Amino acid sequence: MEDADFERFGFGPVMAWQSLPHFERACVAMLNSPAVRRTVPGRAGLRDAVTRTAGLSGEPFQCLVYALAVLDDEPFVAIDRATGAGFALHASGIGDNFQLHTLLADALIGGGHLPGTAPSPEAVAMCRDLPGQTPTTGSFNLVGADGEWIWNEGNPADVPVVDGVRLVVLDPPPYERSRPAGRFFPGMTGELVLERALTAEESRALLARVAQPGR
């Protein structure tokens, strides 16, 4: 900001604009609470407003955008393309898809439902509520029902919805991808709970609606 900005807009508006990063940190701190996330009104409108403000200010406000996108008690279906096995789960407090990926691998591979190498207990704990990060390796390539990759850098709200449920297809990773396991929001507890295995008929019906991967 320059002196001319104070003359053009006034002291109050300029100082309010400069204080936006402080408000972002305060909002993210409050959104660590599941009670706040479940009750705050108009989250979609708030996300749109933050996105517009980011475009005007040059500040990405990524933490606030991601915090407003966090899902709670959200139903998911995961289908392993190779075996056709499907699973119903629900997720809460997961900040990004790196975290979702690790918790999916723990629930499905660690739980003995799918073949593969499960993440370490330490990596899983750090994606739930244990402080810190630890190295891990990806177990899947996450794909949407539209055939597009679901990037680990995104968040679970990016997963496309099919018949009212977010559907993620599990493909083998095209190459080994190592990354630190942990939480995007260190103060937010992440949870992914396996509810049940789908019947073969349920899995086939959903898999029939899934496009081949686009890459």
Side-chain angles (χ1 to χ4, degrees):
M1 306 297 289
E2 301 176 351
D3 290 343
D5 294 314
F6 288 95
E7 296 177 4
R8 181 181 178 187
F9 300 109
F11 181 82
V14 170
M15 295 306 296
W17 188 260
Q18 290 186 320
S19 69
L20 286 175
H22 302 290
F23 280 100
E24 179 191 25
R25 288 193 288 272
C27 291
V28 170
M30 294 183 66
L31 289 166
N32 279 322
S33 164
V36 172
R37 294 196 303 271
R38 290 185 174 103
T39 56
V40 65
R43 284 172 61 179
L46 287 171
R47 284 198 301 273
D48 291 342
V50 172
T51 300
R52 291 195 302 272
T53 303
L56 292 169
S57 69
E59 293 282 348
F61 298 115
Q62 183 185 20
C63 288
L64 183 52
V65 170
Y66 272 43
L68 287 167
V70 169
L71 304 170
D72 288 288
D73 306 315
E74 182 77 7
F76 275 78
V77 166
I79 297 183
D80 182 58
R81 197 190 305 264
T83 65
F87 307 91
L89 313 98
H90 69 263
S92 293
I94 298 176
D96 65 15
N97 291 334
F98 287 114
Q99 187 181 1
L100 174 66
H101 191 147
T102 300
L103 294 177
L104 274 170
D106 173 62
L108 302 180
I109 298 176
H113 304 283
L114 292 176
T117 302
S120 69
E122 184 181 32
V124 175
M126 288 179 174
C127 287
R128 288 178 175 153
D129 56 9
L130 185 69
Q133 294 184 327
T134 190
T136 193
T137 301
S139 302
F140 310 113
N141 195 46
L142 308 182
V143 181
D146 56 2
E148 294 299 315
W149 286 13
I150 298 168
W151 295 100
N152 286 321
E153 292 82 0
N155 55 62
D158 296 333
V159 178
V161 175
V162 176
D163 291 341
V165 178
R166 297 186 188 276
L167 175 62
V168 56
V169 180
L170 309 177
D171 281 339
Y175 49 87
E176 185 174 292
R177 287 180 279 192
S178 298
R179 64 178 189 275
R183 290 171 290 160
F184 188 88
F185 297 108
M188 191 179 297
T189 298
E191 182 180 66
L192 183 71
V193 177
L194 175 61
E195 296 180 341
R196 67 181 181 92
L198 302 185
T199 66
E201 291 77 14
E202 288 175 314
S203 294
R204 279 197 298 270
L206 285 170
L207 200 53
R209 302 179 61 180
V210 170
Q212 290 299 310
R215 293 176 176 81

